[in-house]
Amino acid sequence: MGGQTARSPEFVQSLERGLAVIRAFDAEHPQLTLSDVARRTGLTRAAARRFLLTLVELGYVHTDGRLFSLRARILALGYAYLSGLGLPEIAQPHMEALVAQVHESCSVSVLDGDEVVYVARVPTRRIMTVGISVGTRFPAYATSMGRVLLAAQPADRLDDYLATARLQQLTRRTVTDPAKLRAVLTKIAAQGYAIVDQELEEGLRSLAAPIHGPHGSVVAAVNLSAHASRGSFELIRRELLPPLLATARRIEEDLRGA
């Protein structure tokens, strides 16, 4: 999950670089110059130009001659995964009901490498400095959903993660010691939920529960996020955790019947 692994003889480096060019664009950088793309991907200007112009010709990128931006067609690359997963559509009505009940934002995410990726979201009000939408990524170690998903990993994968992941101090509360994080994940695995208190961003508390697939393995996580001003840590746990766990169970029931 973390670190560099040996690449197979079938590995296509040009595909890796093309995907890196696509990932160079994000909510904070919707438009980039050729130099921007080269800098953000580590490619030479000549290589970045070839990839960008290929993407323009394929209809995934737009350019006015100086600035490049992604076109809506890029969504087709992710839609095949989301539609095949079925999880967002199944979870959405349950998330909406939960948000209506507790008046806090709800999200569902999956684990991708060392990060969580949001695949469904029902927001209420913005409580983070960074806007969150489907496709948003955060480091797994500092998020409630990420910890639920990490806690469900096989022992060898978790060992690899803890040995190689970059645990950065995002706030003064962030757990960055691998041994301490392992202890936290062990507790989460035993209790069946995670609560993170202002480790990703000051003022943000979140609770997450695992979503088990039809065969019993954890396939995703669902969370609620609340501002610390809502009340004490214990009050937020007491008010939000029971309805969150109930929602996770209802999503699992629908997944089994899908």
Side-chain angles (χ1 to χ4, degrees):
M1 287 169 16
Q4 187 72 31
T5 58
R7 291 171 173 172
S8 71
E10 291 79 21
F11 187 88
V12 181
Q13 191 174 50
S14 59
L15 177 58
E16 178 194 33
R17 291 173 175 173
L19 292 173
V21 169
I22 293 173
R23 291 196 300 269
F25 299 88
D26 55 29
E28 286 71 44
H29 306 88
Q31 293 184 311
L32 297 171
T33 65
L34 172 59
S35 296
D36 292 334
V37 172
R39 183 174 63 255
R40 289 173 64 82
T41 60
L43 297 171
T44 64
R45 281 175 53 89
R49 181 176 182 276
R50 289 197 302 273
F51 285 114
L52 283 167
L53 293 182
T54 299
L55 290 167
V56 168
E57 190 167 336
L58 291 173
Y60 293 114
V61 169
H62 168 78
T63 183
D64 62 4
R66 189 181 76 86
L67 291 173
F68 294 85
S69 59
L70 298 180
R71 298 182 64 177
R73 188 175 183 181
I74 204 75
L75 295 173
L77 298 178
Y79 180 75
Y81 170 72
L82 292 176
S83 61
L85 184 67
L87 176 62
E89 294 83 2
I90 290 172
Q92 194 76 19
H94 298 293
M95 297 167 65
E96 291 171 356
L98 178 60
V99 169
Q101 177 185 354
V102 302
H103 309 293
E104 299 291 355
S105 298
C106 179
S107 304
V108 168
S109 74
V110 296
L111 189 65
D112 183 21
D114 293 354
E115 299 176 313
V116 292
V117 182
Y118 284 64
V119 298
R121 180 163 171 80
V122 179
T124 51
R125 61 191 184 281
R126 181 165 172 171
I127 59 175
M128 288 191 68
T129 56
V130 177
I132 301 175
S133 60
V134 171
T136 294
R137 292 171 172 266
F138 286 121
Y141 70 92
T143 65
S144 60
M145 290 189 288
R147 288 185 179 177
V148 162
L149 294 167
L150 288 172
Q153 295 300 299
D156 57 340
R157 293 187 185 178
L158 183 57
D159 289 344
D160 178 58
Y161 173 83
L162 292 170
T164 59
R166 295 179 60 218
L167 307 180
Q168 296 179 303
Q169 191 83 42
L170 303 177
T171 75
R172 60 188 176 86
R173 300 170 184 260
T174 309
V175 174
T176 58
D177 179 76
K180 290 182 179 179
L181 181 58
R182 183 188 291 275
V184 170
L185 296 176
T186 299
K187 181 180 179 181
I188 290 169
Q191 68 189 13
Y193 63 87
I195 304 179
V196 171
D197 186 12
Q198 305 179 76
E199 294 190 47
L200 179 65
E201 183 170 304
E202 293 287 350
L204 178 71
R205 289 177 174 142
S206 64
L207 308 85
I211 297 174
H212 296 83
H215 301 293
S217 61
V218 175
V219 296
V222 57
N223 89 333
L224 285 170
S225 299
H227 197 274
S229 61
R230 176 173 176 133
S232 67
F233 180 84
E234 178 55 31
L235 178 65
I236 289 176
R237 187 196 67 80
R238 189 167 63 246
E239 289 185 347
L240 299 184
L241 183 59
L244 175 66
L245 293 174
T247 296
R249 288 194 297 269
R250 285 191 284 269
I251 294 173
E252 290 173 346
E253 290 170 0
D254 281 1
L255 282 174
R256 286 195 296 269

